[in-house]
Amino acid sequence: GDVVLSRVPPNMTFAAYHGDWNSVPKFDDLKPVATGLSRGLDLSVAKRESNFAIRFEGFFEVKQEGRYKFHLGSDDGSIAY
């Protein structure tokens, strides 16, 4: 079933950046406006609806073997490692 994030412990660190980019910025050259822990990929940590970037780092636990599909999207570029 669906995961209810309010019941999930924080499992990601984040660094949020404000700016206006046309592609994924070089995060190592930027100073974040906020850092901390989040539950999943919570975009609200950016504290705005546009002109932001977030770098998430963390893990997720796979409790059942199988095939999984992930989707990543944005209007100015996204990268998943």
Side-chain angles (χ1 to χ4, degrees):
D2 292 340
V3 174
V4 178
L5 287 180
S6 63
R7 289 188 239 152
V8 174
N11 65 339
M12 304 292 273
T13 61
F14 74 87
Y17 305 85
H18 293 171
D20 188 12
W21 305 281
N22 292 320
S23 61
V24 176
K26 294 181 181 179
F27 290 109
D28 292 336
D29 296 341
L30 301 174
K31 181 177 179 180
V33 295
T35 59
L37 295 173
S38 70
R39 290 176 171 87
L41 304 175
D42 181 2
L43 301 183
S44 72
V45 300
K47 305 290 188 210
R48 55 169 53 181
E49 294 190 17
S50 63
N51 297 325
F52 68 89
I54 306 172
R55 175 188 255 180
F56 289 103
E57 294 185 28
F59 64 92
F60 65 95
E61 182 179 358
V62 176
K63 293 186 178 188
Q64 182 175 357
E65 184 177 326
R67 293 182 68 153
Y68 294 86
K69 185 184 286 188
F70 297 90
H71 298 272
L72 181 65
S74 68
D75 60 355
D76 292 321
S78 303
I79 299 174
Y81 297 101

